[in-house]
C-alpha cells in the first residue's frame, strides 16, 4: 500500500495525471450510463463526481493539486457555454414566437427557485448565512457564487449546492416532467435550464436539440433574472 502511495505522489506532480483521471472517469461513467439504457439515476456527471472524490480521498490528494490538471477542463466550460448559441440560433424562429411564454416562465421559475429554497431552509431552522448561500442554487456556479458573496453567503457552500442541484435536476427532472405529462420539448428545455443550469442543459441536449436550445436560453437568462431579483427578494425577507 505504501509503494502505491509513493507512486501516486510521484505521478500526481504532473497536471496531466488529473486531467486524464477526469476524462477517464467521465468516459467510464458515460459507458455505464449507455449500458443502463440512459437510466437518469446513473447520470454520468454524478458517477464521475463520486469516482473522482473516492480516488482523491483514497489517495489523500488535495483539491488544489487535483485542480492543477482539471483546470484545463474547467477552461473549456467557457467555449462549451458559448457553443450553446448554435442550437439556439437554429431554433431562433421558435424562440421568437414564444418570447412572451419564455419571459413569464423565466421570471416565475427564478422567483420560485429562490423563494422555495429560502422558505424550506428557514422552516428547517437554517441560519441566514446558510439560507442566502442556498438561494441562488439554480443558476450557473460563477454567477451564483458572486451573488452569494455579495449578500453575505459562503461562495464555497453555494458552489457545492449548485452542483448538487444540477445533478439532481438532470437525474430526476425528465422523470418528473414525464410523470406530469409535459410533452412539449421547448417547455421541457425551459424547465431543465431554469432549475438545473448547465448540467440540466447537457441532459436536455441528450433529449433533443430543441430542448437543448431552450434549456441553454433559460440557463443564461435565469442567471440574469436571479442576479436582479434575488437581492430585492432578500431585502424584503431579511
Amino acid at each position: 500500500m505504501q509503494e502505491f502511495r509513493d507512486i501516486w505522489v510521484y505521478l500526481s506532480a504532473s497536471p496531466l495525471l488529473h486531467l486524464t483521471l477526469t476524462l477517464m472517469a467521465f468516459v467510464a461513467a458515460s459507458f455505464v450510463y449507455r449500458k443502463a439504457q440512459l437510466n437518469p439515476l446513473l447520470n454520468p456527471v454524478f458517477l464521475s463526481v463520486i469516482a473522482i472524490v473516492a480516488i482523491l480521498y483514497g489517495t489523500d490528494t488535495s483539491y488544489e493539486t487535483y485542480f492543477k490538471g482539471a483546470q484545463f477542463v474547467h477552461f473549456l466550460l467557457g467555449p462549451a457555454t458559448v457553443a450553446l448559441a448554435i442550437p439556439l440560433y437554429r431554433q431562433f424562429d421558435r424562440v421568437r414566437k414564444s418570447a412572451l411564454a419564455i419571459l413569464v416562465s423565466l421570471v416565475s421559475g427564478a422567483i420560485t427557485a429562490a423563494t422555495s429554497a429560502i422558505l424550506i431552509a428557514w422552516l428547517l431552522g437554517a441560519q441566514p448565512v446558510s439560507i442566502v448561500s442556498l438561494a441562488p442554487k439554480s443558476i450557473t456556479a460563477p454567477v451564483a457564487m458572486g451573488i452569494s458573496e455579495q449578500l453575505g453567503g459562503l461562495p464555497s457552500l453555494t458552489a457545492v449546492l449548485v452542483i448538487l442541484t444540477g445533478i439532481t435536476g438532470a437525474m430526476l427532472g425528465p422523470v418528473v416532467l414525464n410523470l406530469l405529462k409535459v410533452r412539449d420539448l421547448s417547455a421541457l428545455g425551459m424547465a431543465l435550464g431554469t432549475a438545473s443550469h448547465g448540467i440540466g442543459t447537457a441532459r436536455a441536449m441528450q433529449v433533443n436539440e430543441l430542448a437543448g436550445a431552450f434549456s441553454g436560453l433559460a440557463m443564461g437568462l435565469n442567471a440574469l433574472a436571479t442576479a436582479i431579483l434575488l437581492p430585492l427578494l432578500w431585502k424584503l425577507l431579511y
Side-chain angles (χ1 to χ4, degrees):
M1 188 65 179
Q2 183 60 42
E3 292 181 357
F4 173 75
R5 286 184 176 273
D6 291 340
I7 294 174
W8 179 264
V9 169
Y10 172 75
L11 292 176
S12 64
S14 171
L16 289 178
L17 173 66
H18 297 108
L19 174 61
T20 304
L21 172 64
T22 302
L23 297 177
M24 288 180 62
F26 187 77
V27 169
S30 297
F31 175 78
V32 172
Y33 181 58
R34 289 193 299 270
K35 284 295 183 181
Q37 298 181 346
L38 308 183
N39 188 320
L41 297 180
L42 295 177
N43 183 276
V45 176
F46 174 65
L47 296 180
S48 300
V49 169
I50 291 178
I52 292 173
V53 168
I55 292 173
L56 296 183
Y57 181 79
T59 57
D60 195 27
T61 302
S62 67
Y63 176 76
E64 289 75 16
T65 300
Y66 165 75
F67 191 70
K68 288 179 181 178
Q71 64 180 329
F72 299 108
V73 177
H74 183 267
F75 169 77
L76 292 175
L77 285 175
T81 302
V82 174
L84 291 174
I86 296 175
L88 181 59
Y89 173 76
R90 291 173 178 167
Q91 304 295 334
F92 183 75
D93 287 340
R94 181 78 176 265
V95 171
R96 181 173 53 82
K97 293 176 182 177
S98 305
L100 180 59
I102 290 173
L103 178 62
V104 172
S105 62
L106 183 69
V107 174
S108 301
I111 294 175
T112 300
T115 303
S116 61
I118 291 172
L119 291 179
I120 292 173
W122 178 75
L123 289 173
L124 293 175
Q127 297 298 315
V129 65
S130 299
I131 295 175
V132 75
S133 299
L134 175 63
K137 62 177 178 51
S138 291
I139 61 175
T140 187
V143 180
M145 293 170 68
I147 294 173
S148 175
E149 184 176 15
Q150 289 296 318
L151 297 179
L154 301 174
S156 56
L157 176 58
T158 299
V160 173
L161 294 169
V162 166
I163 293 172
L164 289 175
T165 300
I167 292 175
T168 303
M171 291 171 62
L172 301 180
V175 176
V176 173
L177 291 169
N178 186 54
L179 290 174
L180 294 174
K181 302 186 184 303
V182 177
R183 306 295 185 218
D184 187 272
L185 292 173
S186 58
L188 185 146
M190 284 295 298
L192 288 176
T194 301
S196 47
H197 49 84
I199 302 177
T201 298
R203 180 68 182 93
M205 288 295 295
Q206 292 178 335
V207 174
N208 183 273
E209 182 177 290
L210 176 61
F214 274 80
S215 185
L217 176 65
M219 178 184 72
L221 294 181
N222 187 39
L224 176 61
T226 302
I228 296 172
L229 296 174
L230 184 55
L232 299 176
L233 181 62
W234 187 250
K235 286 183 179 180
L236 291 175
L237 297 175
Y238 280 88

